[in-house]
Amino acid sequence: MSKWLIILVGLILAVSIYEVLRRQILKRAALKIRQAGQRTVDQAMVASLAQLSSVAKAQQVGGTLHSVPVAAVWGRGVMAFEYVIATPGMVAADLPEVRRLLNNQLQVYAQAKKVTAYQSAGPALRVTDTWLRDGQLHLDVAYLMNEATLEYLEDLRRLNHEAN
C-alpha cells in the first residue's frame, strides 16, 4: 500500500513541478512579445509626434516616450498601450482631429517600416481611444499583431456602438 502511495505522491509532485515550470516559460515568452510590440508602438509614436510637432510635447521618462500597457484591464496578449501627452489649451472638440492626424501618421509609419496587421485586418497601428484629463491628452494605441488585439478592437467597437 505504501509503495502505491509513494508513487502517487511522486506523480502529483512531478505534474505540479511541470505545470509551474510551463507557466513560467509561457509568462516569459508573453512578456518578450509584449515588450517587442511596445517598442514598435513607442517608435511609431515618437516618429508620428515628431511629424505632428505642433500637437503637443510628449511626456517623457528618461528621455524616451513612455507607454503603459492596457492589458491589465483588457486581458493577456492585448497589444495596446496608453500614452500621456501634455496639451495645455486643448479641448474635447479637438479630439477627433487629433485622433485622425495621429492615425494617418501611424499608418504612414507602418507602411514605411512594413509593420503589418494580423490577418490583414487593416492598419496595423491605430489610436483606439482619446480623452483629456487635467490638461493632458491620453491616447490608447493598438498594434494589431495578434488575435487578442483584434478581439479587443471588436469589443471597443461594440462598447462605443452601445454607448451611442
Side-chain angles (χ1 to χ4, degrees):
M1 180 73 175
S2 66
K3 179 180 174 184
W4 289 107
L5 185 60
I6 291 172
I7 292 172
L8 182 63
V9 169
L11 186 61
I12 291 172
L13 188 60
V15 169
S16 298
I17 290 171
Y18 169 78
E19 271 302 306
V20 167
L21 290 175
R22 186 181 70 81
R23 286 183 186 194
Q24 288 300 320
I25 290 169
L26 290 175
K27 265 185 174 176
R28 187 174 297 132
L31 178 63
K32 285 181 181 181
I33 291 169
R34 184 188 55 81
Q35 287 173 335
Q38 190 170 6
R39 275 191 302 275
T40 299
V41 178
D42 286 351
Q43 291 166 355
M45 282 297 291
V46 167
S48 297
L49 289 172
Q51 291 296 318
L52 301 171
S53 60
S54 63
V55 174
K57 179 175 174 16
Q59 181 181 32
Q60 296 188 358
V61 176
T64 59
L65 190 63
H66 178 67
S67 63
V68 178
V70 300
V73 174
W74 288 98
R76 195 180 330 169
V78 173
M79 295 295 158
F81 308 95
E82 181 183 352
Y83 295 88
V84 179
I85 301 172
T87 54
M90 183 177 278
V91 295
D94 298 331
L95 292 178
E97 181 66 10
V98 168
R99 187 174 181 160
R100 185 187 68 74
L101 290 170
L102 274 170
N103 272 326
N104 289 344
Q105 284 301 318
L106 288 169
Q107 190 170 0
V108 167
Y109 177 89
Q111 289 172 345
K113 299 293 183 177
K114 298 186 179 6
V115 178
T116 58
Y118 174 76
Q119 294 183 345
S120 302
L125 302 169
R126 299 183 197 174
V127 176
T128 59
D129 200 4
T130 55
W131 69 96
L132 290 171
R133 186 180 336 150
D134 300 327
Q136 295 179 321
L137 172 63
H138 293 255
L139 300 162
D140 285 353
V141 179
Y143 176 15
L144 273 73
M145 68 179 292
N146 59 24
E147 186 175 3
T149 307
L150 191 59
E151 290 172 357
Y152 159 76
L153 285 181
E154 289 298 319
D155 290 344
L156 285 180
R157 273 192 210 110
R158 278 190 228 120
L159 283 172
N160 289 335
H161 187 264
E162 290 171 6
N164 293 330

